[in-house]
Amino acid sequence: MSHGTPAPVPPADAATWWKRGVFYQVYVPSFQDGNGDGLGDLHGIEQRLDYITGLGVDAVWLSPIYDSPLLDFGYDVAGYTTVGADFGDLETFDRIVDGLHRRGIKVLLDYIPQHTSSEHPWFKDALSGRHSAHRDWYLWADPAADGGPPNNWASAFGGSAWTLHEPSNQYYYHAHLPQQPSLNWRNPQVKRAMFDVMRFWFSRGVDGYRIDAVWRLFKDQQLRDNPQGSDTDSFEIAGAMAHSSVRQLQKYTADQPELPGVLAEMRDVANEFDDRVLMGELHLSVERVAALGAKPGLDIPMNFALIDAPWNGQSLGDLIVRYEQALTPRAWPNWTLGNHDRSRVATRLGPERLPGAMILLLTLRGTPTLYYGDELGLPDQPVPPGRERDCAALAAPGQGLGRDPERTPMPWTNAPNVGFTTPEATPWLPIPDPAPGQTVAEQEKAADSLLQLVRTAIALRHRSAALSVGTISVVTATADTLAYTRHADDERWLVIISFSNRPTETAVPDQETWTVALRSDQEWHPRINDGRLVVPPYAAVVLERHEQPEE
């Protein structure tokens, strides 16, 4: 039985690269240190281009590399058209773009339009007085009647989102740190300046942007209070970093009516260049994500639903159907299991579920994004007190907040400092000894490693129109089992994933026509008997059937 109607799909030869592609997120501070100072940088990425190529991914998304005081590790931008000295220089960046392009891999930059650093020249000028040239480039408001903040809007990192500038007796708004003042996107000068930033990097060969905090670009002009939220409501990063006293529904500080219009303007800028993609961070419902994908603007409105979904076949099947039904023919789906803001998938699910999770991510309809290290099954790494670096942790010491555990350095080898930096350097975050078999070097040698499974799944996706751009239909969704088909022209694939700690049995029609294309466990040899397949605990399999086209 089919759950939901498959969404229309364009012919395979009409699909653009970002629909067919697999994206790989590189968190630059933790990928590879190239100069021995303990912080990952562009020189390090340049050293690892062959590894990225070997994954088979189609695009690399780099976390911010701009000039920055690094309070939020690059998400506080002091200069949009320069590379920060901690990360390298423009010459190295150009070599990376050229090197990846020669390997057939696209490059996306993290674009930070919601706020600047307080060290940015624009904000320094804004502080000089109410009538300064850049004053209205940011969001200012007079104090409330009692002299306090203008309203109850809360920062994602705890406390009020308003900071008083005493010399002018006005508050400025910051969705995140006080050192990250929010830009006023209703000001045409701001838009022109930020669109020119896009053009600068497009002109250097960048193929697209992941647009940070894009759903927050506009705030309510009437400054109305946000309603209070509960522990189950989404607050920025699903409430993971917020103090319970400031949980709010972002009714007036996110997803405001002007958002689609400015996204369309960003799309117009991208259209000045050939074949560029816009991917936007949206912490919204899948229905709202799909709705924004139906409008001109974001090619990939980011869908984070897999990260928080209950990990069982019924819930995931329902989520897939719900998302697919919300999509219009114009909108393109996308999926991710992790990023630099959320606990790693290995920690959330446990190592035994990782192979099935990776097969799920890489066989769903829509563009998948893979977070660095997840291809190795890296778990969150403990960061002892006194070694925290994330601003969310530093803002509330000892409360277990912060994103350092999912940002620790990539373990390349079993050498000192795991090959991330020189043996004598102090890495920017502590590096515990990796678990046996968890380094790149070990997994490259092991035929049954998670890394090899991910590489094989990506290669399988690339050779199949059905797996890359075909339709999807959920056929089984129970607590223990999820099964769905992918279909295009004469290709048909069946994906079966077990969520049970016991063997399960799944119906497989037309048993003589299926062949095993990929399985999560190399010691398992799937056999279909009497139309049934017994699946071991937490195992996953991809079956292929070629149909004869109708004459």
Side-chain angles (χ1 to χ4, degrees):
M1 182 178 65
S2 175
H3 295 247
T5 303
V9 65
D13 57 2
T16 54
W17 65 267
W18 51 267
K19 290 183 178 180
R20 286 180 163 271
V22 176
F23 287 28
Y24 186 63
Q25 181 189 355
V26 170
Y27 189 69
V28 177
S30 292
F31 198 64
Q32 178 68 58
D33 173 20
N35 63 5
D37 66 356
L39 184 73
D41 50 38
L42 293 176
H43 293 288
I45 293 172
E46 191 173 22
Q47 296 170 17
R48 298 296 184 181
L49 294 187
D50 286 344
Y51 173 78
I52 294 171
T53 305
L55 282 175
V57 297
D58 302 89
V60 172
W61 149 28
L62 300 178
S63 65
I65 56 169
Y66 314 109
D67 185 25
S68 168
L70 299 183
L71 293 178
D72 196 10
F73 280 87
Y75 287 93
D76 47 330
V77 181
Y80 281 103
T81 55
T82 55
V83 172
D86 294 285
F87 296 124
D89 51 41
L90 277 171
E91 182 181 0
T92 308
F93 176 78
D94 290 342
R95 287 200 307 270
I96 287 173
V97 172
D98 180 64
L100 287 170
H101 282 174
R102 283 188 284 106
R103 291 165 167 83
I105 299 172
K106 307 287 189 179
V107 181
L108 278 72
L109 274 185
D110 227 316
Y111 175 59
I112 321 296
Q114 201 280 142
H115 52 259
T116 70
S117 165
S118 57
E119 296 298 310
H120 197 289
W122 299 342
F123 191 67
K124 288 184 175 182
D125 178 67
L127 292 177
S128 66
R130 292 194 179 207
H131 302 292
S132 62
H134 292 90
R135 184 73 170 193
D136 192 49
W137 286 43
Y138 297 86
L139 297 168
W140 296 87
D142 293 330
D146 62 359
N151 59 27
N152 75 341
W153 294 352
S155 162
F157 296 147
S160 175
W162 296 97
T163 291
L164 180 65
H165 179 239
E166 293 185 4
S168 63
N169 194 35
Q170 276 194 318
Y171 284 85
Y172 68 88
Y173 175 81
H174 48 89
H176 300 91
L177 292 174
Q179 296 89 347
Q180 292 171 301
S182 294
L183 286 165
N184 175 17
W185 272 82
R186 292 189 176 91
N187 184 327
Q189 293 176 294
V190 169
K191 289 202 294 185
R192 283 196 293 270
M194 292 304 293
F195 291 163
D196 283 344
V197 169
M198 296 176 69
R199 294 184 178 100
F200 175 86
W201 295 103
F202 276 147
S203 296
R204 297 196 86 88
V206 166
D207 300 285
Y209 295 105
R210 177 266 188 185
I211 307 175
D212 182 66
V214 69
W215 87 110
R216 285 179 169 273
L217 283 189
F218 292 92
K219 289 82 186 172
D220 179 53
Q221 284 187 296
Q222 299 178 49
L223 304 184
R224 287 171 284 189
D225 281 355
N226 274 328
Q228 292 299 314
S230 69
D231 287 350
T232 60
D233 294 321
S234 175
F235 181 85
E236 180 76 356
I237 305 155
M241 292 163 24
H243 298 272
S244 59
S245 60
V246 297
R247 294 271 172 96
Q248 294 178 350
L249 298 177
Q250 302 298 292
K251 182 174 182 179
Y252 296 115
T253 48
D255 196 19
Q256 298 301 291
E258 299 93 334
L259 179 61
V262 81
L263 293 178
E265 291 183 78
M266 289 183 181
R267 180 71 254 165
D268 288 341
V269 173
N271 287 343
E272 296 172 14
F273 302 82
D274 292 335
D275 207 17
R276 309 302 164 101
V277 67
L278 298 181
M279 179 169 72
E281 181 188 17
L282 299 168
H283 290 276
L284 302 170
S285 69
V286 293
E287 287 80 12
R288 186 62 182 141
V289 167
L292 286 171
K295 301 174 184 290
L298 297 176
D299 303 296
I300 303 177
M302 296 183 76
N303 164 30
F304 301 108
L306 271 186
I307 295 177
D308 290 311
W311 205 253
N312 64 74
Q314 181 69 63
S315 295
L316 294 175
D318 291 346
L319 172 61
I320 293 166
V321 171
R322 177 182 160 201
Y323 186 34
E324 286 286 338
Q325 289 178 342
L327 293 165
T328 67
R330 177 190 177 91
W332 183 249
N334 67 94
W335 301 92
T336 188
L337 280 169
N339 58 44
H340 61 291
D341 287 328
R342 298 300 303 273
S343 177
R344 282 191 178 271
V345 60
T347 295
R348 299 196 318 268
L349 301 183
E352 70 278 0
R353 294 177 175 86
L354 277 180
M358 288 297 153
I359 287 176
L360 175 74
L361 176 68
L362 295 168
T363 58
L364 285 172
R365 189 176 88 94
T367 306
T369 301
L370 182 66
Y371 184 48
Y372 89 99
D374 281 355
E375 72 273 23
L376 305 175
L378 293 187
D380 292 349
Q381 301 287 4
V383 177
R387 288 287 276 120
E388 301 99 332
R389 300 298 300 272
D390 180 35
C391 53
L394 297 175
Q399 295 194 27
L401 303 176
R403 300 160 291 179
D404 290 327
E406 60 262 30
R407 298 177 174 185
T408 52
M410 184 82 159
W412 296 99
T413 70
N414 279 310
N417 282 330
V418 297
F420 164 74
T421 186
T422 59
E424 60 274 8
T426 300
W428 80 285
L429 281 174
I431 306 175
D433 292 335
Q438 206 160 69
T439 66
V440 170
E442 291 171 298
Q443 294 205 22
E444 285 187 325
K445 294 176 182 177
D448 61 348
S449 68
L450 187 67
L451 174 60
Q452 301 293 16
L453 178 72
V454 168
R455 286 174 170 169
T456 302
I458 291 173
L460 196 64
R461 185 181 183 94
H462 283 152
R463 79 168 175 84
S464 165
L467 288 177
S468 58
V469 296
T471 58
I472 187 170
S473 183
V474 174
V475 295
T476 302
T478 67
D480 290 341
T481 302
L482 174 65
Y484 50 90
T485 58
R486 301 296 312 277
H487 185 273
D489 298 326
D490 62 340
E491 283 187 75
R492 190 179 179 209
W493 301 72
L494 176 64
V495 181
I496 302 171
I497 303 169
S498 169
F499 298 83
S500 175
N501 60 3
R502 302 182 305 275
T504 56
E505 195 173 69
T506 301
V508 179
D510 307 318
Q511 67 179 58
E512 301 302 326
T513 63
W514 295 101
T515 58
V516 177
L518 179 66
R519 61 188 187 276
S520 61
D521 183 350
Q522 294 300 306
E523 296 182 359
W524 173 39
H525 300 284
R527 296 286 186 270
I528 303 169
N529 295 310
D530 297 325
R532 313 292 294 180
L533 175 66
V534 176
V535 182
Y538 304 122
V541 64
V542 181
L543 304 173
E544 180 182 13
R545 177 160 68 94
H546 285 281
E547 297 180 345
Q548 296 299 320
E550 296 181 5
E551 297 184 1

